[in-house]
Amino acid sequence: MHVDPVKEMMSKYPRILVIKAALEILKGGKKIDRERIEKAIIKIIQKKG
């Protein structure tokens, strides 16, 4: 059984940040997985800071 990577990351990061990262990944035409979400979140945080 596979854990939903979006749900898994929501326990670690704010929901809006995870959703935004997931949408960025989908917009790029890529498959959502834990590593891609984590990288996208880091990029989003760095842009804001």
Side-chain angles (χ1 to χ4, degrees):
M1 186 168 95
H2 295 284
V3 178
D4 181 9
V6 174
K7 286 184 181 180
E8 182 181 351
M9 297 307 287
M10 279 192 209
S11 66
K12 190 174 180 183
Y13 296 103
R15 178 182 302 238
I16 190 71
L17 191 59
V18 175
I19 293 170
K20 187 173 181 175
L23 290 173
E24 288 289 322
I25 294 167
L26 290 174
K27 192 166 85 173
K30 297 178 183 171
K31 189 175 177 182
I32 293 178
D33 62 17
R34 188 180 186 278
E35 291 175 23
R36 285 193 180 118
I37 292 176
E38 190 102 46
K39 288 177 186 178
I41 289 171
I42 291 169
K43 284 182 184 179
I44 292 167
I45 291 171
Q46 288 176 345
K47 284 181 186 178
K48 300 248 181 196

